Amino acid sequence: MSFKKERYEPKVVVVGGGTGLSILLKGLKEFTKNITAIVTVADDGGGSGVLREDLGMLPPGDIRACMLALANTEPTMEKLFQYRFEEGMLKGQSFGNIFIAAMNGIYGNFETAIKESSNVLAITGKVYPMTLDNVRIKAELQNGKMVEGESYISIESTKEKSKIKKVSIDPEIPKPLPEAIESIKEADIIVLGPGSLYTSVIPNLLVKDIVEAIVKSPAPKAYIVNVMTEPGETDDYKVLEHVQAILDHSRDDLLNYVIANTQDVPIETLEKYIHDGSVPVKIQNSDEKTLAKKGITLIANSLIDIKKDYIRHDNINLSKLLVQLAKSRP
């Protein structure tokens, strides 16, 4: 009797939020079913912000995007969840956000609402909010000014012509979901990003016990640096500035790997981004040695995918790289 050898599918934990995270998740589900996304719930703008204020619930936007990225459902269902109303009182609101809000009302619990919504979408893996506490981001700018609210930080930074010095969350040290901590303990690789540095990635590291759990895990820990800078958030940042911000908000021994792009962006696409105040995040000649002194290995590769003039990470090649790192752990 012969037995078919099952493919090893590593347990991948991804921490962050925003578009970058959801794009990565779409790639990862092609290589493993064992995916856990720990997602920020500190945003307060757009449709999510409206629901947060009107219904007193946690913002569902980033959670919705991650669930859709991992969904295994009919194309019509995906279109339905992505649909944004164009007129009336619901203008700008997505059906997916309203659906999660309805589930939250039915179950009276955001965690249960996410689990049940995940079941409806038949997602690969699991999606957890970073906390169930009602948190908001605060930023201290280099000129000393304090800014409260995720949607105001980049605006005020640009207005004040002062970079972000430090971010914090209120209330301080919110509690994580036990399932999120457990997933970190069991992970074969832990990934931070890609996503907005100060408003999508770092807030997760400010949740109680998250950093300690990551450091204690024997799994490799990798940070994926954004391809482009973000106006009002990471202006003029190179790779090292991104990494240092992560370490300054966590611990010096948090990371084993930093993954950064080396591929040039076509001029016609780049011009649009430069006009909006965004430039490629560059690797400096000394970065590899500087990171090595911190115990971090730099992985530099061609990792971008351009569709309809939008620059994104190549989620398939990036996922292959992450799975290889997971499989190479001792």
Side-chain angles (χ1 to χ4, degrees), residues 229-256:
T229 63
E230 292 191 61
E233 189 156 341
T234 54
D235 294 292
D236 303 320
Y237 272 38
K238 309 295 190 296
V239 168
L240 277 184
E241 284 85 355
H242 281 80
V243 175
Q244 195 58 52
I246 293 284
L247 301 181
D248 286 345
H249 286 82
S250 56
R251 285 174 42 165
D252 288 341
D253 57 350
L254 184 75
L255 301 172
N256 305 120

mmCIF file of all heavy atoms in Angstrom, residues 229-256:
data_model
loop_
_atom_site.group_PDB
_atom_site.id
_atom_site.type_symbol
_atom_site.label_atom_id
_atom_site.label_comp_id
_atom_site.label_asym_id
_atom_site.label_seq_id
_atom_site.Cartn_x
_atom_site.Cartn_y
_atom_site.Cartn_z
ATOM 1 N N THR A 229 7.798 55.445 -0.223
ATOM 2 C CA THR A 229 7.554 56.228 0.983
ATOM 3 C C THR A 229 6.112 56.720 0.977
ATOM 4 O O THR A 229 5.459 56.741 -0.068
ATOM 5 C CB THR A 229 8.489 57.446 1.059
ATOM 6 O OG1 THR A 229 8.228 58.317 -0.054
ATOM 7 C CG2 THR A 229 9.946 57.018 1.053
ATOM 8 N N GLU A 230 5.617 57.117 2.157
ATOM 9 C CA GLU A 230 4.259 57.642 2.265
ATOM 10 C C GLU A 230 4.297 59.088 2.740
ATOM 11 O O GLU A 230 4.880 59.378 3.793
ATOM 12 C CB GLU A 230 3.437 56.802 3.240
ATOM 13 C CG GLU A 230 3.161 55.403 2.731
ATOM 14 C CD GLU A 230 2.122 54.687 3.581
ATOM 15 O OE1 GLU A 230 0.986 55.169 3.657
ATOM 16 O OE2 GLU A 230 2.467 53.651 4.165
ATOM 17 N N PRO A 231 3.679 59.993 1.974
ATOM 18 C CA PRO A 231 3.700 61.415 2.344
ATOM 19 C C PRO A 231 3.134 61.640 3.747
ATOM 20 O O PRO A 231 2.095 61.090 4.103
ATOM 21 C CB PRO A 231 2.803 62.068 1.287
ATOM 22 C CG PRO A 231 2.841 61.133 0.115
ATOM 23 C CD PRO A 231 2.957 59.759 0.710
ATOM 24 N N GLY A 232 3.844 62.417 4.553
ATOM 25 C CA GLY A 232 3.393 62.729 5.889
ATOM 26 C C GLY A 232 3.656 61.638 6.901
ATOM 27 O O GLY A 232 3.395 61.805 8.089
ATOM 28 N N GLU A 233 4.185 60.514 6.442
ATOM 29 C CA GLU A 233 4.442 59.399 7.361
ATOM 30 C C GLU A 233 5.883 58.931 7.294
ATOM 31 O O GLU A 233 6.534 58.766 8.327
ATOM 32 C CB GLU A 233 3.479 58.240 7.089
ATOM 33 C CG GLU A 233 3.556 57.158 8.146
ATOM 34 C CD GLU A 233 2.282 56.317 8.240
ATOM 35 O OE1 GLU A 233 1.221 56.748 7.765
ATOM 36 O OE2 GLU A 233 2.360 55.219 8.813
ATOM 37 N N THR A 234 6.391 58.701 6.097
ATOM 38 C CA THR A 234 7.776 58.220 5.971
ATOM 39 C C THR A 234 8.535 59.007 4.901
ATOM 40 O O THR A 234 9.309 58.431 4.137
ATOM 41 C CB THR A 234 7.807 56.711 5.640
ATOM 42 O OG1 THR A 234 7.000 56.465 4.466
ATOM 43 C CG2 THR A 234 7.292 55.882 6.797
ATOM 44 N N ASP A 235 8.328 60.306 4.840
ATOM 45 C CA ASP A 235 9.020 61.137 3.848
ATOM 46 C C ASP A 235 10.536 60.970 3.963
ATOM 47 O O ASP A 235 11.104 61.073 5.055
ATOM 48 C CB ASP A 235 8.668 62.613 4.056
ATOM 49 C CG ASP A 235 7.200 62.891 3.781
ATOM 50 O OD1 ASP A 235 6.803 62.790 2.612
ATOM 51 O OD2 ASP A 235 6.464 63.198 4.745
ATOM 52 N N ASP A 236 11.175 60.696 2.830
ATOM 53 C CA ASP A 236 12.637 60.584 2.731
ATOM 54 C C ASP A 236 13.208 59.371 3.483
ATOM 55 O O ASP A 236 14.425 59.252 3.608
ATOM 56 C CB ASP A 236 13.339 61.858 3.247
ATOM 57 C CG ASP A 236 12.891 63.104 2.508
ATOM 58 O OD1 ASP A 236 12.717 63.024 1.284
ATOM 59 O OD2 ASP A 236 12.710 64.150 3.168
ATOM 60 N N TYR A 237 12.365 58.500 3.966
ATOM 61 C CA TYR A 237 12.856 57.318 4.687
ATOM 62 C C TYR A 237 13.532 56.353 3.720
ATOM 63 O O TYR A 237 13.016 56.055 2.646
ATOM 64 C CB TYR A 237 11.710 56.573 5.374
ATOM 65 C CG TYR A 237 11.384 57.048 6.769
ATOM 66 C CD1 TYR A 237 11.433 58.401 7.102
ATOM 67 C CD2 TYR A 237 11.002 56.149 7.754
ATOM 68 C CE1 TYR A 237 11.118 58.833 8.381
ATOM 69 C CE2 TYR A 237 10.686 56.566 9.039
ATOM 70 C CZ TYR A 237 10.745 57.908 9.349
ATOM 71 O OH TYR A 237 10.434 58.331 10.614
ATOM 72 N N LYS A 238 14.678 55.853 4.133
ATOM 73 C CA LYS A 238 15.321 54.737 3.448
ATOM 74 C C LYS A 238 14.986 53.456 4.217
ATOM 75 O O LYS A 238 14.188 53.479 5.154
ATOM 76 C CB LYS A 238 16.834 54.958 3.394
ATOM 77 C CG LYS A 238 17.265 56.311 2.857
ATOM 78 C CD LYS A 238 16.886 56.501 1.407
ATOM 79 C CE LYS A 238 17.524 57.756 0.797
ATOM 80 N NZ LYS A 238 17.061 59.010 1.428
ATOM 81 N N VAL A 239 15.611 52.358 3.840
ATOM 82 C CA VAL A 239 15.339 51.075 4.507
ATOM 83 C C VAL A 239 15.649 51.154 6.004
ATOM 84 O O VAL A 239 14.849 50.740 6.851
ATOM 85 C CB VAL A 239 16.142 49.936 3.852
ATOM 86 C CG1 VAL A 239 16.100 48.676 4.712
ATOM 87 C CG2 VAL A 239 15.582 49.630 2.463
ATOM 88 N N LEU A 240 16.807 51.700 6.348
ATOM 89 C CA LEU A 240 17.222 51.727 7.752
ATOM 90 C C LEU A 240 16.280 52.525 8.646
ATOM 91 O O LEU A 240 16.033 52.149 9.795
ATOM 92 C CB LEU A 240 18.645 52.283 7.873
ATOM 93 C CG LEU A 240 19.793 51.313 7.630
ATOM 94 C CD1 LEU A 240 21.131 51.982 7.881
ATOM 95 C CD2 LEU A 240 19.658 50.065 8.500
ATOM 96 N N GLU A 241 15.748 53.629 8.131
ATOM 97 C CA GLU A 241 14.815 54.428 8.930
ATOM 98 C C GLU A 241 13.537 53.640 9.239
ATOM 99 O O GLU A 241 12.989 53.737 10.342
ATOM 100 C CB GLU A 241 14.460 55.729 8.220
ATOM 101 C CG GLU A 241 15.530 56.799 8.261
ATOM 102 C CD GLU A 241 16.576 56.671 7.173
ATOM 103 O OE1 GLU A 241 16.527 55.660 6.419
ATOM 104 O OE2 GLU A 241 17.445 57.540 7.061
ATOM 105 N N HIS A 242 13.072 52.859 8.271
ATOM 106 C CA HIS A 242 11.909 51.998 8.507
ATOM 107 C C HIS A 242 12.210 50.974 9.609
ATOM 108 O O HIS A 242 11.419 50.800 10.544
ATOM 109 C CB HIS A 242 11.525 51.250 7.223
ATOM 110 C CG HIS A 242 10.764 52.065 6.236
ATOM 111 N ND1 HIS A 242 11.369 52.962 5.375
ATOM 112 C CD2 HIS A 242 9.426 52.124 5.954
ATOM 113 C CE1 HIS A 242 10.445 53.524 4.609
ATOM 114 N NE2 HIS A 242 9.260 53.032 4.942
ATOM 115 N N VAL A 243 13.347 50.323 9.480
ATOM 116 C CA VAL A 243 13.708 49.279 10.446
ATOM 117 C C VAL A 243 13.890 49.870 11.838
ATOM 118 O O VAL A 243 13.406 49.320 12.827
ATOM 119 C CB VAL A 243 14.992 48.550 10.003
ATOM 120 C CG1 VAL A 243 15.444 47.553 11.068
ATOM 121 C CG2 VAL A 243 14.780 47.850 8.669
ATOM 122 N N GLN A 244 14.581 51.006 11.907
ATOM 123 C CA GLN A 244 14.839 51.605 13.209
ATOM 124 C C GLN A 244 13.549 52.016 13.915
ATOM 125 O O GLN A 244 13.433 51.893 15.147
ATOM 126 C CB GLN A 244 15.770 52.821 13.070
ATOM 127 C CG GLN A 244 16.363 53.275 14.392
ATOM 128 C CD GLN A 244 17.159 52.174 15.091
ATOM 129 O OE1 GLN A 244 18.046 51.560 14.507
ATOM 130 N NE2 GLN A 244 16.826 51.909 16.368
ATOM 131 N N ALA A 245 12.568 52.483 13.149
ATOM 132 C CA ALA A 245 11.269 52.847 13.736
ATOM 133 C C ALA A 245 10.601 51.620 14.360
ATOM 134 O O ALA A 245 10.017 51.700 15.446
ATOM 135 C CB ALA A 245 10.364 53.469 12.686
ATOM 136 N N ILE A 246 10.693 50.482 13.669
ATOM 137 C CA ILE A 246 10.143 49.229 14.214
ATOM 138 C C ILE A 246 10.833 48.876 15.529
ATOM 139 O O ILE A 246 10.188 48.575 16.539
ATOM 140 C CB ILE A 246 10.322 48.068 13.205
ATOM 141 C CG1 ILE A 246 9.464 48.291 11.944
ATOM 142 C CG2 ILE A 246 10.000 46.728 13.861
ATOM 143 C CD1 ILE A 246 8.009 48.030 12.118
ATOM 144 N N LEU A 247 12.152 48.932 15.538
ATOM 145 C CA LEU A 247 12.915 48.552 16.729
ATOM 146 C C LEU A 247 12.693 49.544 17.873
ATOM 147 O O LEU A 247 12.622 49.148 19.043
ATOM 148 C CB LEU A 247 14.404 48.455 16.395
ATOM 149 C CG LEU A 247 14.794 47.454 15.300
ATOM 150 C CD1 LEU A 247 16.299 47.436 15.096
ATOM 151 C CD2 LEU A 247 14.276 46.058 15.618
ATOM 152 N N ASP A 248 12.585 50.819 17.549
ATOM 153 C CA ASP A 248 12.371 51.843 18.581
ATOM 154 C C ASP A 248 11.037 51.659 19.298
ATOM 155 O O ASP A 248 10.885 52.073 20.453
ATOM 156 C CB ASP A 248 12.428 53.243 17.965
ATOM 157 C CG ASP A 248 13.836 53.677 17.598
ATOM 158 O OD1 ASP A 248 14.798 53.034 18.071
ATOM 159 O OD2 ASP A 248 13.974 54.642 16.833
ATOM 160 N N HIS A 249 10.072 51.059 18.606
ATOM 161 C CA HIS A 249 8.750 50.853 19.195
ATOM 162 C C HIS A 249 8.574 49.431 19.731
ATOM 163 O O HIS A 249 7.472 49.059 20.137
ATOM 164 C CB HIS A 249 7.650 51.148 18.156
ATOM 165 C CG HIS A 249 7.474 52.611 17.876
ATOM 166 N ND1 HIS A 249 8.278 53.288 16.999
ATOM 167 C CD2 HIS A 249 6.587 53.522 18.369
ATOM 168 C CE1 HIS A 249 7.892 54.560 16.948
ATOM 169 N NE2 HIS A 249 6.873 54.722 17.767
ATOM 170 N N SER A 250 9.653 48.653 19.719
ATOM 171 C CA SER A 250 9.551 47.269 20.210
ATOM 172 C C SER A 250 10.808 46.919 21.001
ATOM 173 O O SER A 250 10.997 47.405 22.101
ATOM 174 C CB SER A 250 9.324 46.296 19.052
ATOM 175 O OG SER A 250 10.351 46.416 18.072
ATOM 176 N N ARG A 251 11.673 46.100 20.408
ATOM 177 C CA ARG A 251 12.943 45.704 21.026
ATOM 178 C C ARG A 251 14.000 45.558 19.954
ATOM 179 O O ARG A 251 13.703 45.252 18.809
ATOM 180 C CB ARG A 251 12.790 44.369 21.778
ATOM 181 C CG ARG A 251 12.065 44.475 23.091
ATOM 182 C CD ARG A 251 11.800 43.149 23.752
ATOM 183 N NE ARG A 251 12.906 42.193 23.699
ATOM 184 C CZ ARG A 251 12.983 41.104 24.461
ATOM 185 N NH1 ARG A 251 12.018 40.836 25.330
ATOM 186 N NH2 ARG A 251 13.995 40.267 24.357
ATOM 187 N N ASP A 252 15.260 45.733 20.348
ATOM 188 C CA ASP A 252 16.358 45.653 19.388
ATOM 189 C C ASP A 252 16.534 44.255 18.809
ATOM 190 O O ASP A 252 17.119 44.089 17.746
ATOM 191 C CB ASP A 252 17.675 46.091 20.043
ATOM 192 C CG ASP A 252 17.723 47.595 20.293
ATOM 193 O OD1 ASP A 252 16.945 48.327 19.661
ATOM 194 O OD2 ASP A 252 18.541 48.024 21.141
ATOM 195 N N ASP A 253 16.039 43.246 19.533
ATOM 196 C CA ASP A 253 16.216 41.867 19.073
ATOM 197 C C ASP A 253 14.946 41.295 18.443
ATOM 198 O O ASP A 253 14.764 40.078 18.396
ATOM 199 C CB ASP A 253 16.666 40.967 20.228
ATOM 200 C CG ASP A 253 15.692 40.993 21.413
ATOM 201 O OD1 ASP A 253 14.783 41.838 21.419
ATOM 202 O OD2 ASP A 253 15.864 40.166 22.334
ATOM 203 N N LEU A 254 14.080 42.151 17.932
ATOM 204 C CA LEU A 254 12.793 41.685 17.402
ATOM 205 C C LEU A 254 12.931 40.934 16.082
ATOM 206 O O LEU A 254 12.236 39.947 15.847
ATOM 207 C CB LEU A 254 11.848 42.872 17.198
ATOM 208 C CG LEU A 254 10.427 42.522 16.748
ATOM 209 C CD1 LEU A 254 9.620 41.960 17.914
ATOM 210 C CD2 LEU A 254 9.711 43.755 16.166
ATOM 211 N N LEU A 255 13.819 41.397 15.204
ATOM 212 C CA LEU A 255 13.850 40.914 13.820
ATOM 213 C C LEU A 255 15.072 40.056 13.504
ATOM 214 O O LEU A 255 16.156 40.264 14.032
ATOM 215 C CB LEU A 255 13.835 42.102 12.855
ATOM 216 C CG LEU A 255 12.634 43.049 12.943
ATOM 217 C CD1 LEU A 255 12.860 44.269 12.062
ATOM 218 C CD2 LEU A 255 11.354 42.324 12.533
ATOM 219 N N ASN A 256 14.846 39.094 12.611
ATOM 220 C CA ASN A 256 15.939 38.302 12.036
ATOM 221 C C ASN A 256 16.226 38.688 10.591
ATOM 222 O O ASN A 256 17.363 38.587 10.137
ATOM 223 C CB ASN A 256 15.603 36.805 12.073
ATOM 224 C CG ASN A 256 15.250 36.300 13.455
ATOM 225 O OD1 ASN A 256 14.160 35.803 13.665
ATOM 226 N ND2 ASN A 256 16.161 36.448 14.412
#
